[in-house]
Amino acid sequence: MERKIGLILTGGGARAAYQVGVLKAISEILPRRSHNPFPIICGTSAGALNAVTLAVNARHFRSGVQRLLNIWKNSHIEDIYRSDPVGVFMNSTRWIAGLLLSSMGINKMSRVSLLDNSPLATFLEETLPCEKIQENIDAGLLYALSITASGYGSGHSVTFFQGAKGIRPWRRARRIGIPARIEPKHLLASAAIPFVFPAVRINREYFGDGSMRQIAPISSALHMGASKVLIIGVAQGSVDQTKRKRMDEYPSLAQIAGHALNSIFLDSLEVDLERIQRINHTMSMMSDEARQKTNLRHVDVLVISPSQPIEKIAEHYAGRLPWTIRFLLRWVGAMRRSGASLVSYLLFEKGFCNALIELGYHDAMKRKEEIVAFFAHQEKQEELSQ
């Protein structure tokens, strides 16, 4: 049976630039003219943009990565959300008015959010020809693509997938997978950071950031047939969990918001990885006969994550935010060192993004042997099929 590799690109706002550095390294490690090496691609939040770009360019993997490099290396906040004085003032006014009206039981305000991400909607429409996704699936260059968003009405983590025939919808506790033609609206919904960007209506429900309530981020790849997965995270790996910092001051609003976003974007992946590792360990102790009687299967997992804390890098580039955004964030304490975590999610400026790309590239190159071994089986299959 063919072993399909799944690529999982997690959420994290501007932190997703790190993923592009890792992908750049992989594109250089693999043969130059390689097609897409990931038959199954799963994206969430900002990782959804990277996922769809790869799916659209599945015929030429290196070209797809180069496209991502062009996007992120030249990134400006104005491409993602409005930072001009009029736009920030109008949106902030609507946001405050919406909060006041909600407190009085009146809910007549639409698209209430801290920031206006209409530039991102325009950018996606102009740069991502999503019709190529099905073309690449039909050509056998891609098996499946999924984008995950969180339903505000149902409370479900919904994975919208587009793939080859034979992939069945799934339903588990608080998470479902449904077939769909992936469009820019799915990306906007998946990347709608709560409170920061507006919710997006798809069919009959409003959706927000896909990392919310995504209790099993690896599962969508497995449901679509992946037998091994490469995960590119955006949180520092191997952190010493025994260290606890002394806090003498009450946490700022920005520090609390950054902590909440870290919980949304980062914690569920760690829990899911532990679950996979336990299942793999259990499977290794079972006989072949016992394994055949279960629905469990061993899943090879390779995780590449930042070797340095991204919030520390964000501290050096926070001053490059437009003055309007700095003013807005200073109000909640985000421009202090304790608020760097929140800033790291919103800092879509090329200086910061380039620093993350370089970090991702070097982190992946340090693990070149592991990456080569991870892809070795697939390369043999490609040689036999030629």
Side-chain angles (χ1 to χ4, degrees), residues 5 228-230 300-302 369-377:
I5 297 178
K228 54 194 303 186
V229 292
L230 171 65
D300 293 327
V301 179
L302 176 62
E369 292 184 4
E370 290 179 71
I371 292 172
V372 170
F374 185 81
F375 285 104
H377 180 78

Side-chain angles (χ1 to χ4, degrees), residues 118-159:
S118 56
L120 176 60
T122 302
F123 176 80
L124 295 176
E125 290 284 355
E126 293 177 349
T127 60
L128 282 180
C130 290
E131 66 276 4
K132 287 186 175 293
I133 296 171
Q134 190 59 47
E135 293 178 13
N136 290 331
I137 291 173
D138 294 339
L141 301 169
L142 179 70
Y143 187 73
L145 167 71
S146 75
I147 304 297
T148 299
S150 181
Y152 281 118
S154 64
H156 289 154
S157 176
V158 180
T159 296

